[in-house]
Amino acid sequence: MATEVKVPTLGESVTEATVGELLKNVGDAVAVDEPIISLETDKVAVEAPSPVAGVIKEFKVAVGDTVEVEAVIAVIEEGAAPAAKGAEAGRAQEERAEGKQERADTPAPAASSDAAQTLSPAVRRAVLEHGVDPSTIKGTGKDGRLTKEDVIAAAKAKQDGGSAPAAASGVPAAGAGERREERVKMTRMRQTIAKRLKGAQDNAALLTTFNDVDMSAVMEARSKYKDLFAKKHDIRLGFMGFFAKAACLALKDVPAVNAYIEGDEIVYHDYVDISVAVSAPNGLVVPVIRDAQDKGFARIEQDIADFGKRAKEGTLTMDDMKGGTFTISNGGVFGSLMSTPIINPPQSAVLGLHRIEDRPVVVNGEIVIRPMMYIALSYDHRLIDGREAVTALKIIKEAIEDPTRMLIDL
């Protein structure tokens, strides 16, 4: 008996996705709920599972196809049908899928000797995540193609002090002085990021205000309590918890920074849902710490650590990123000294954090060296006045420089 596999529900207001990877081949046996196709939506990757146990008879889609919710994407033959029979029946379909994948992922080669490797989205993510050169890895997939396992094995060999497997013979090494180009279709997530950020510039009156923060008090508190904190809560005490709680103070006192414009109305919130910008293999994602105003440092740090882990694994869900009233983006982890972050629509403000570095400052008439950080607040000037933006940033600065304020709600 043949059973159709359909595109699952992707989330609120999400009606279509792009086929990112075929996780199985025609003729492969699958178990109930075993993922067979990875689908890329505007924000996350979603896996489509098999509803029955059986053998994959046919794929109705290829990598790069756009599919809608409830569209049929594969056919499963229930029971233990011989894999060879299923493979023979679907061979033409598989070849069509591979051909389409190659057209979607790589440019038309100028000559056969310059043909570039074809990398599936999953392999590309693994290459970016592990920082390896795909041209130095020998592929074990069909026709010598790289698999995700090949990349992971090469990264492990590199970490252990060995060298990556030799490049596949079908991929020639670049000659001296030779210059190459690669044309790769943007992922659905990258397209969405581009549209949203450009939309923010087009629709909002963006302005950024800056301040600098003496991080001495927070660094001293972390140094004094980090071991006890980790022992009690089983999580590392980071800087983000301090800034999240400081932001909650600021948004309480300046509610416009926690609001947004909808039509000719302003929507205010009596809660703070903080979107935290997290780097994922295929782009920036912003999962949400909900009701941050009611959470302690430990819970906030646990949420952030969980988001970072799942972003790396590609297991964040649409619900994780839905909503959000304010965003914190930490470019300092990449070494940024100063930036003008762009708001995350429909939000009206974003706090940008940057690297900490020792700088000379004047304290009580004397020049001293202190660990300083520049902070930036970008905001929609249609809703937030300059006075309100400066006040909110000043509250954050004062709370970080004197963390006791966060305990006594000042």
Side-chain angles (χ1 to χ4, degrees):
M1 176 180 171
T3 300
E4 295 178 337
V5 181
K6 298 182 179 180
V7 176
T9 301
L10 301 172
E12 184 179 353
S13 76
V14 180
T15 60
E16 63 179 25
T18 299
V19 178
E21 183 182 7
L22 304 182
L23 304 176
K24 294 288 185 178
N25 297 315
V26 172
D28 284 354
V30 293
V32 177
D33 293 332
E34 184 176 3
I36 63 171
I37 291 182
S38 176
L39 303 171
E40 295 181 355
T41 69
D42 294 347
K43 296 182 179 180
V44 295
V46 177
E47 292 179 340
S50 172
V52 296
V55 172
I56 297 178
K57 180 181 179 181
E58 179 185 12
F59 281 112
K60 296 284 189 178
V61 295
V63 171
D65 283 356
T66 297
V67 293
E68 296 183 350
V69 173
E70 292 298 311
V72 177
I73 52 180
V75 177
I76 305 293
E77 189 69 36
E78 292 188 51
K85 181 178 178 180
E88 182 68 24
R91 184 166 298 157
Q93 179 69 25
E94 184 180 8
E95 290 174 354
R96 181 185 74 83
E98 290 175 352
K100 189 159 185 177
Q101 175 179 339
E102 185 170 353
R103 290 194 299 274
D105 286 350
T106 62
S112 59
S113 60
D114 291 332
Q117 263 181 307
T118 301
L119 304 180
S120 72
V123 173
R124 289 186 188 281
R125 287 195 292 270
V127 166
L128 291 173
E129 180 180 341
H130 295 284
V132 297
D133 182 356
S135 66
T136 65
I137 308 172
K138 183 175 181 180
T140 60
K142 185 174 181 179
D143 299 326
R145 295 187 184 185
L146 285 183
T147 66
K148 182 178 179 181
E149 289 71 24
D150 294 333
V151 176
I152 294 174
K156 187 176 185 302
K158 181 179 178 181
Q159 187 178 24
D160 292 341
S163 58
S169 58
V171 183
E178 182 179 356
R179 304 196 306 172
R180 291 185 176 182
E181 293 181 352
E182 183 181 8
R183 190 178 298 272
V184 180
K185 184 177 180 180
M186 294 173 68
T187 64
R188 179 174 289 271
M189 181 184 292
R190 178 53 59 185
Q191 293 179 48
T192 300
I193 291 172
K195 291 177 183 177
R196 286 176 62 84
L197 293 183
K198 184 55 181 173
Q201 288 183 320
D202 292 341
N203 299 322
L206 291 179
L207 188 62
T208 304
T209 183
F210 299 92
N211 214 318
D212 59 356
V213 178
D214 184 346
M215 297 293 292
S216 298
V218 167
M219 293 179 70
E220 181 181 350
R222 289 184 68 228
S223 177
K224 184 175 181 179
Y225 297 113
K226 63 180 182 181
D227 292 337
L228 289 173
F229 188 88
K231 183 177 180 180
K232 181 175 181 179
H233 301 291
D234 195 27
I235 192 72
R236 175 178 171 270
L237 177 60
F239 290 115
M240 191 62 79
F242 288 92
F243 279 100
K245 296 303 291 184
C248 289
L249 287 181
L251 301 183
K252 179 181 178 181
D253 286 357
V254 190
V257 182
N258 195 41
Y260 68 88
I261 294 175
E262 186 173 74
D264 59 356
E265 297 179 328
I266 300 174
V267 180
Y268 292 96
H269 307 90
D270 66 353
Y271 55 87
V272 179
D273 285 354
I274 298 180
S275 301
V276 182
V278 177
S279 181
N282 55 344
L284 195 71
V285 293
V286 279
V288 180
I289 302 172
R290 306 195 187 280
D291 293 315
Q293 78 282 353
D294 296 330
K295 292 182 177 179
F297 282 79
R299 181 60 187 275
I300 289 174
E301 294 292 352
Q302 288 168 349
D303 286 351
I304 293 170
D306 179 59
F307 289 150
K309 178 176 180 291
R310 289 196 287 137
K312 186 176 181 180
E313 296 171 348
T315 57
L316 286 172
T317 67
M318 298 293 291
D319 286 341
D320 290 327
M321 289 175 281
K322 185 169 61 177
T325 63
F326 182 77
T327 294
I328 299 179
S329 178
N330 185 8
V333 296
F334 304 109
S336 172
L337 175 64
M338 188 179 293
S339 68
T340 55
I342 299 179
I343 62 174
N344 178 28
Q347 297 172 22
S348 298
V350 53
L351 174 67
L353 309 182
H354 303 92
R355 76 172 185 248
I356 302 170
E357 62 178 10
D358 288 340
R359 291 202 300 269
V361 295
V362 178
V363 178
N364 297 325
E366 296 184 354
I367 298 177
V368 296
I369 303 298
R370 291 291 172 85
M372 304 297 293
M373 175 196 287
Y374 289 116
I375 57 176
L377 184 75
S378 290
Y379 58 98
D380 188 347
H381 210 350
R382 297 177 304 164
L383 170 61
I384 303 169
D385 294 332
R387 175 184 60 83
E388 293 174 312
V390 171
T391 299
L393 197 61
K394 185 170 178 287
I395 292 172
I396 294 173
K397 168 185 169 70
E398 291 172 345
I400 294 298
E401 292 183 337
D402 183 7
T404 304
R405 287 174 171 268
M406 288 182 269
L407 299 178
I408 58 178
D409 196 15
L410 280 180

